[in-house]
């Protein structure tokens, strides 16, 4: 059962540091190579560079939550949500439909 996980290429979990400008400040983010590849894919699907996507994600998270206790963890869970099928734009379009369905269910 675990061979698919245990036998994975160690390159995928190699730590990589990238310097990114967020909110006007240069910062270094360390993530595994697999997460960087996923973030590159997500950004490309949004027609953004990875640094621009990460900066935009940071700004929106601050706007919504007020603070981000662990940004690297947030980036990893962003990748997990993406792998589970959540897509920017698609989820936002579904919100009005979900709200309408909830209103109907409550009627």
């Amino acid at each position: 059962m675990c061979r698919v996980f245990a036998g994975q290429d160690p390159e995928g979990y190699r730590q990589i540091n990238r310097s990114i400008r967020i909110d006007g400040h240069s910062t270094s983010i360390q993530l595994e190579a697999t997460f960087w590849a996923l973030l590159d894919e997500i950004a490309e699907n949004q027609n953004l560079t990875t640094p621009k996507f990460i900066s935009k994600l940071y700004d929106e998270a601050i706007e919504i939550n007020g603070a981000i206790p662990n940004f690297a963890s947030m980036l990893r869970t962003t990748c997990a949500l993406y792998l589970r099928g959540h897509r920017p734009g698609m989820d936002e379009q579904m919100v009005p439909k979900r709200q309408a369905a909830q209103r109907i269910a409550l009627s």
Side-chain angles (χ1 to χ4, degrees):
M1 173 192 94
C2 292
R3 287 195 178 274
V4 71
F5 303 119
Q8 67 181 295
D9 183 354
E11 185 62 25
Y13 52 86
R14 181 175 58 91
Q15 295 286 313
I16 296 174
N17 283 305
R18 287 193 188 176
S19 292
I20 299 200
R21 185 166 292 282
I22 297 176
D23 198 27
H25 303 283
S26 184
T27 188
S28 181
I29 300 172
Q30 183 177 25
L31 295 171
E32 294 76 12
T34 297
F35 289 112
W36 282 118
L38 282 166
L39 289 169
D40 291 343
E41 182 178 323
I42 296 167
E44 183 178 324
N45 287 335
Q46 294 298 300
N47 297 315
L48 297 169
T49 64
T50 302
K52 184 69 176 168
F53 169 73
I54 290 172
S55 180
K56 188 172 184 168
L57 177 63
Y58 177 87
D59 291 343
E60 289 181 16
I62 290 294
E63 181 181 316
I64 293 167
N65 300 311
I68 305 168
N70 186 329
F71 191 56
S73 290
M74 183 190 168
L75 292 173
R76 288 184 188 92
T77 56
T78 296
C79 292
L81 287 169
Y82 178 77
L83 290 174
R84 289 182 174 165
H86 297 275
R87 298 294 188 266
M90 189 172 84
D91 289 335
E92 287 121 5
Q93 292 169 3
M94 295 300 294
V95 170
K97 291 178 185 176
R98 275 184 252 152
Q99 290 171 344
Q102 288 171 344
R103 281 193 299 271
I104 292 169
L106 294 174
S107 304

